C-alpha cells in the first residue's frame, strides 16, 4: 500500500515544504508592527510624524509679506492660502535669505483651478485657456494676488 | 489628449480607468473556467465522446490561467506587490481575496489534476527521453516511478475527487469575476446579482468553444482525422450552454427594461448610440443569435461532415467574438456614462503603451505560446497515450 501511494506522499512533502517556506518568508518580510492599528504598518505613523515639515503655513508668510496680504484682501484670492499656488516653502521661511522660491508659470498654475469644466459650479470663474489667452501667461493681464481686472472708469 | 465628452461628466469620469486589459482579464479567466468545465464533462459526467479533448482542455485551462493575472498586473503596475495579497491578506476586499481563489484553482485543482492525469506518461517519458527533457520529466515524477495498476487506480480516484472539487472551484473563479462587477453598487450597468451567473455561463460558452476550435485546428495541423462524434457532442453542449447564457442575459435585459429605474433612460440611450455596434450588432446578433442559429441548424437538419465542420468553426469563431464583445460592453460600457446620467465619454485606446492595443494583442498570443510549450512537453493527443513501453492505459481512461 505504501509503495502505491509513495508518489502522493512525495507530493505532500513538496506541498509541506512550500507551506513552511511561505510561513518563514512571511515572518521574515512582513513588518512586526503590521496590523497594530489596521491594515497597515503601525510604525508608519511615527515615521510620517517625524518627517520634516514642508509647509510653512500662511500665517508665517503673512508675517513678512504684508504688501501681498494687503493686495489679497482686495480680491477673491484672499481665501487662497499662499502655498496653494507657490508650493511648500517651509525651507524659505526658515532661511529667507538663501532659499528663494522659483517664479511661477501662471499659464499652468491658474489653469489648475480656472480651466473650464462643466462639472464646476456656474458661479466659479472659469475659462477655456486656449481660447481665452491663446497661450499667453495669465499674469500678462491679471495680477494673481488680486485677479479681477478693473477698468479705470469703474474703479 | 482631448477626450470627446457629451453632456455632463464629473471630472473623474472623463477618462476611463479600466482599459482594454481589464476587458481581457474576464475574457481569459472565462476561457480557463470554461475549458475546465468541458474537461470535467468527460471525467465526472462520463461523456465519453469528448474524451479526445480532455487533456487538451486541461492544458488550455492551464495556459490561459498562467496569463490571467498579467493584464491586472500590467494595469496596476508594480507586479512585485501582488505577492502582498498572500503575505498580508485583506479579508474585506473581494479584489484582494482573488489571490487566494487564483492560487487555489491553479495549485489545488489544475496543476494537481494535470499531474495525476499525466503521471503515467511523465514516468515513461522520464525513461525514454534524453537531455534536458529527461531532467524536466524526472523532476516532474518527484522521484517516484511507480505506475503500477494499483497506483494508477489511486491516481484515477484522487483525480476524480479533484475534478469534483474543481467544478465548484471553476464556478467560484469566474463567479468571482462577475461578483467584482456585480457588487459595484454605484454603477447601475454592473450592479446586478445576476452578474456572477451570467459570467459563469458566458465563461462556459467561451471555454467550450475555444477548446472545440483548438481541437479542430490542432487535429488538422497534425493531419489527423477529426473525431466527428467528439465535435458533434461538444457543439451540442455548446448550444445548450449558449441557450442558458442567452436566456440569462435576456432575463437581465428584460428585467432592466421593465424595472426602468432612474438609470434606464441614460443606459438605453447609450445602448442605442455608443454601444449599438459592439452590443447589439456584434455581441447579440453576430456573437450570440448567429452561432445559436447555426448550432441549432445542425441539430435539426442533416449536414455532411465537411459542412458541419465548417459550421462549427464559423459558430465557434463568432462565439469567441461575441463573448469578447460581451466583456468589452460590460467593462468599457460601464464607464462610458456619467453617474449623473446626463453625459457620456469616449474610450480612446492607445497603441504601443503599457495598456495599449499592442500589449493586449501580445497578451492574447501569449497563452497560445504557453499552450504550444505545454503540448510539446505533455502531448495531449489520444494516440500519444500509448507510449513506447507503456502497458497500461492512461490514468483517466482507467475507469
Amino acid at each position: 500500500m505504501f509503495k502505491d501511494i509513495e508518489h502522493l506522499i512525495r507530493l505532500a512533502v513538496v506541498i509541506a515544504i512550500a507551506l513552511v517556506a511561505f510561513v518563514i518568508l512571511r515572518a521574515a518580510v512582513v513588518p512586526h508592527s503590521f496590523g497594530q492599528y489596521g491594515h497597515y504598518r503601525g510604525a508608519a505613523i511615527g515615521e510620517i510624524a517625524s518627517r520634516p515639515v514642508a509647509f510653512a503655513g500662511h500665517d508665517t508668510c503673512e508675517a513678512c509679506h504684508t504688501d501681498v496680504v494687503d493686495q489679497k484682501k482686495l480680491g477673491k484670492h484672499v481665501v487662497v492660502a499662499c502655498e496653494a499656488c507657490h508650493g511648500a516653502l517651509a525651507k524659505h521661511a526658515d532661511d529667507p535669505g538663501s532659499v528663494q522660491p522659483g517664479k511661477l508659470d501662471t499659464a499652468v498654475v491658474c489653469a489648475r483651478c480656472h480651466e473650464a469644466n462643466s462639472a464646476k459650479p456656474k458661479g466659479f470663474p472659469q475659462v477655456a485657456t486656449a481660447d481665452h489667452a491663446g497661450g499667453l501667461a495669465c499674469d500678462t493681464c491679471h495680477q494673481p494676488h488680486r485677479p479681477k481686472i478693473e477698468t479705470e472708469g469703474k474703479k | 489628449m482631448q477626450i470627446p465628452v457629451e453632456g455632463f461628466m464629473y471630472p473623474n469620469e472623463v477618462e476611463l480607468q479600466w482599459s482594454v486589459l481589464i476587458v481581457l482579464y474576464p475574457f481569459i479567466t472565462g476561457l480557463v473556467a470554461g475549458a475546465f468545465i468541458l474537461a470535467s464533462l468527460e471525467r465526472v459526467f462520463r461523456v465519453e465522446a469528448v474524451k479526445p479533448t480532455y487533456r487538451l482542455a486541461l492544458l488550455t485551462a492551464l495556459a490561459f490561467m498562467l496569463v490571467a493575472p498579467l493584464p491586472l498586473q500590467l494595469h496596476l503596475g508594480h507586479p512585485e506587490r501582488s505577492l502582498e495579497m498572500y503575505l498580508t491578506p485583506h479579508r474585506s476586499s473581494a479584489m484582494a481575496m482573488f489571490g487566494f481563489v487564483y492560487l487555489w484553482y491553479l495549485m489545488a485543482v489544475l496543476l494537481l489534476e494535470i499531474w495525476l492525469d499525466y503521471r503515467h506518461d511523465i514516468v515513461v517519458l522520464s525513461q525514454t527521453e534524453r537531455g534536458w527533457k529527461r531532467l524536466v520529466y524526472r523532476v516532474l515524477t518527484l522521484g517516484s516511478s511507480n505506475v503500477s495498476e494499483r497506483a494508477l487506480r489511486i491516481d484515477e480516484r484522487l483525480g476524480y475527487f479533484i475534478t469534483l472539487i474543481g467544478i465548484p472551484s471553476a464556478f467560484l473563479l469566474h463567479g468571482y469575476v462577475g461578483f467584482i462587477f456585480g457588487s459595484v453598487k454605484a454603477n447601475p450597468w454592473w450592479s446586478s446579482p445576476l452578474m456572477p451567473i451570467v459570467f459563469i455561463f458566458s465563461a462556459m460558452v467561451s471555454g467550450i468553444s475555444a477548446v472545440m476550435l483548438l481541437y479542430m485546428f490542432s487535429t488538422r495541423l497534425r493531419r489527423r482525422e477529426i473525431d466527428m462524434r467528439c465535435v458533434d457532442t461538444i457543439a451540442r453542449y455548446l448550444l445548450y450552454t449558449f441557450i442558458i447564457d442567452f436566456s440569462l442575459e435576456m432575463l437581465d435585459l428584460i428585467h432592466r427594461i421593465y424595472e426602468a429605474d432612474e438609470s434606464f433612460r441614460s443606459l438605453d440611450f447609450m445602448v442605442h448610440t455608443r454601444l449599438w455596434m459592439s452590443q447589439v450588432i456584434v455581441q447579440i446578433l453576430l456573437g450570440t443569435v448567429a452561432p445559436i442559429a447555426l448550432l441549432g441548424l445542425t441539430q435539426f437538419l442533416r449536414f455532411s461532415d465537411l459542412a458541419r465542420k465548417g459550421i462549427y468553426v464559423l459558430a465557434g469563431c463568432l462565439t469567441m467574438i461575441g463573448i469578447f464583445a460581451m466583456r468589452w460592453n460590460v467593462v468599457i460600457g460601464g464607464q462610458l456614462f456619467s453617474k449623473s446620467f446626463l453625459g457620456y465619454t469616449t474610450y480612446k485606446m492607445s497603441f504601443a503603451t503599457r495598456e495599449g492595443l499592442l500589449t493586449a494583442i501580445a497578451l492574447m498570443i501569449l497563452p497560445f505560446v504557453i499552450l504550444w510549450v505545454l503540448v510539446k512537453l505533455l502531448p495531449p493527443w489520444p494516440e500519444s497515450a500509448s507510449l513506447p513501453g507503456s502497458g497500461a492505459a492512461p490514468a483517466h481512461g482507467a475507469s
Side-chain angles (χ1 to χ4, degrees):
Chain A
M1 180 65 188
F2 175 78
K3 202 169 175 302
D4 290 330
I5 57 163
E6 186 208 346
H7 60 286
L8 297 178
I9 294 171
R10 283 173 184 268
L11 179 70
V13 171
V14 171
I15 293 171
I17 291 172
L19 283 175
V20 170
F22 172 75
V23 172
I24 294 170
L25 177 75
R26 188 169 190 267
V29 300
V30 175
H32 291 300
S33 65
F34 187 87
Q36 195 179 349
Y37 305 115
H39 198 79
Y40 58 92
R41 198 164 49 87
I45 293 176
E47 284 170 26
I48 293 164
S50 65
R51 283 166 67 177
V53 174
F55 285 89
H58 70 104
D59 292 338
T60 314
C61 308
E62 286 168 6
C64 300
H65 300 283
T66 48
D67 54 329
V68 178
V69 178
D70 293 341
Q71 278 288 311
K72 278 177 76 180
K73 273 181 187 162
L74 299 171
K76 285 193 171 178
H77 277 181
V78 66
V79 292
V80 180
C82 311
E83 287 162 301
C85 300
H86 290 278
L89 286 169
K91 282 182 185 164
H92 166 68
D94 289 343
D95 187 5
S98 53
V99 183
Q100 287 294 322
K103 172 111 174 68
L104 294 182
D105 181 359
T106 52
V108 177
V109 177
C110 304
R112 279 184 201 150
C113 296
H114 295 289
E115 185 66 59
N117 188 313
S118 54
K120 287 175 187 168
K122 278 209 169 68
F124 185 79
Q126 45 190 316
V127 288
T129 45
D131 302 337
H132 179 79
L136 278 180
C138 306
D139 62 355
T140 314
C141 305
H142 298 272
Q143 206 279 81
H145 293 129
R146 188 188 166 194
K148 189 165 183 179
I149 300 170
E150 283 164 354
T151 50
E152 294 259 339
K154 285 185 178 176
K155 239 176 190 177
Chain B
M1 183 175 63
Q2 193 70 32
I3 297 169
V5 172
E6 194 181 318
F8 185 97
M9 293 298 281
Y10 293 118
N12 59 332
E13 295 171 330
V14 171
E15 193 182 339
L16 267 67
Q17 301 301 315
W18 286 1
S19 63
V20 65
L21 294 193
I22 307 299
V23 177
L24 277 191
Y25 162 66
F27 183 65
I28 291 176
T29 325
L31 291 174
V32 177
F36 183 84
I37 287 164
L38 177 64
S40 70
L41 269 184
E42 195 272 325
R43 186 105 195 205
V44 177
F45 302 106
R46 309 278 180 216
V47 183
E48 286 292 314
V50 300
K51 202 167 173 176
T53 62
Y54 172 72
R55 287 182 156 190
L56 183 65
L58 282 184
L59 296 186
T60 306
L62 179 61
F64 280 92
M65 187 73 176
L66 293 173
V67 177
L70 294 186
L72 297 183
Q73 285 168 334
L74 275 163
H75 168 71
L76 294 168
H78 283 289
E80 77 284 0
R81 289 187 191 164
S82 57
L83 191 65
E84 295 191 16
M85 283 192 296
Y86 304 112
L87 297 171
T88 53
H90 201 312
R91 288 188 298 278
S92 62
S93 160
M95 282 196 187
M97 291 318 283
F98 170 67
F100 289 90
V101 177
Y102 177 83
L103 194 68
W104 165 262
Y105 194 76
L106 177 67
M107 306 301 274
V109 176
L110 263 185
L111 284 182
L112 211 54
E113 177 156 343
I114 291 173
W115 186 71
L116 286 169
D117 193 67
Y118 271 99
R119 211 177 63 79
H120 175 267
D121 297 24
I122 291 170
V123 169
V124 174
L125 286 165
S126 74
Q127 289 157 0
T128 53
E129 285 290 339
R130 291 278 168 269
W132 65 271
K133 268 185 150 184
R134 185 191 181 97
L135 191 71
V136 172
Y137 290 122
R138 285 190 72 162
V139 170
L140 288 175
T141 61
L142 301 179
S144 165
S145 56
N146 184 3
V147 282
S148 69
E149 207 173 306
R150 209 174 136 82
L152 289 179
R153 209 176 316 122
I154 292 171
D155 286 356
E156 161 64 18
R157 268 161 52 191
L158 188 61
Y160 175 81
F161 178 68
I162 289 168
T163 315
L164 220 53
I165 299 173
I167 296 171
S169 301
F171 273 66
L172 179 70
L173 179 80
H174 208 64
Y176 150 84
V177 180
F179 177 83
I180 287 286
F181 290 100
S183 61
V184 181
K185 63 185 167 196
N187 189 322
W189 187 246
W190 293 336
S191 181
S192 158
L194 262 183
M195 203 60 126
I197 308 168
V198 170
F199 263 64
I200 288 166
F201 277 93
S202 58
M204 285 163 69
V205 168
S206 66
I208 293 172
S209 165
V211 175
M212 182 180 79
L213 289 173
L214 275 171
Y215 169 71
M216 292 176 83
F217 284 127
S218 59
T219 313
R220 187 74 184 264
L221 273 178
R222 295 183 311 122
R223 297 175 193 286
R224 303 287 164 121
E225 201 54 44
I226 291 171
D227 182 344
M228 282 314 287
R229 188 168 149 254
C230 172
V231 281
D232 283 339
T233 312
I234 297 178
R236 204 168 59 244
Y237 278 101
L238 178 60
L239 175 65
Y240 298 157
T241 329
F242 224 150
I243 290 171
I244 300 174
D245 178 46
F246 187 51
S247 313
L248 285 168
E249 284 187 35
M250 287 304 107
L251 183 66
D252 187 41
L253 187 71
I254 292 164
H255 188 260
R256 280 170 189 273
I257 293 170
Y258 186 72
E259 202 180 41
D261 68 8
E262 69 275 17
S263 65
F264 181 72
R265 280 167 62 109
S266 174
L267 301 184
D268 187 52
F269 178 77
M270 185 173 73
V271 170
H272 282 89
T273 51
R274 296 188 180 212
L275 287 186
W276 179 257
M277 194 59 183
S278 62
Q279 175 117 5
V280 179
I281 307 292
V282 180
Q283 183 191 328
I284 298 177
L285 292 179
L286 267 179
T288 309
V289 175
I292 287 179
L294 283 171
L295 294 168
L297 270 182
T298 63
Q299 300 299 309
F300 295 111
L301 301 174
R302 291 186 74 83
F303 290 101
S304 68
D305 282 3
L306 191 67
R308 286 212 307 287
K309 279 181 207 168
I311 290 174
Y312 294 155
V313 169
L314 182 62
C317 291
L318 287 175
T319 304
M320 300 307 287
I321 294 168
I323 298 292
F324 183 82
M326 183 262 186
R327 312 299 191 218
W328 175 278
N329 294 322
V330 168
V331 177
I332 303 297
Q335 301 173 86
L336 290 182
F337 64 94
S338 169
K339 177 75 175 133
S340 66
F341 305 132
L342 294 169
Y344 305 89
T345 187
T346 313
Y347 174 47
K348 280 204 164 185
M349 197 189 322
S350 46
F351 181 64
T353 57
R354 200 177 76 191
E355 293 194 57
L357 179 66
L358 208 59
T359 314
I361 292 171
L363 279 178
M364 267 329 288
I365 293 172
L366 188 58
F368 294 100
V369 176
I370 296 176
L371 182 63
W372 182 78
V373 174
L374 286 173
V375 164
K376 287 281 164 206
L377 209 58
L378 302 168
W381 320 120
E383 64 271 16
S384 61
S386 52
L387 287 155
S390 75
H396 72 92
S399 54

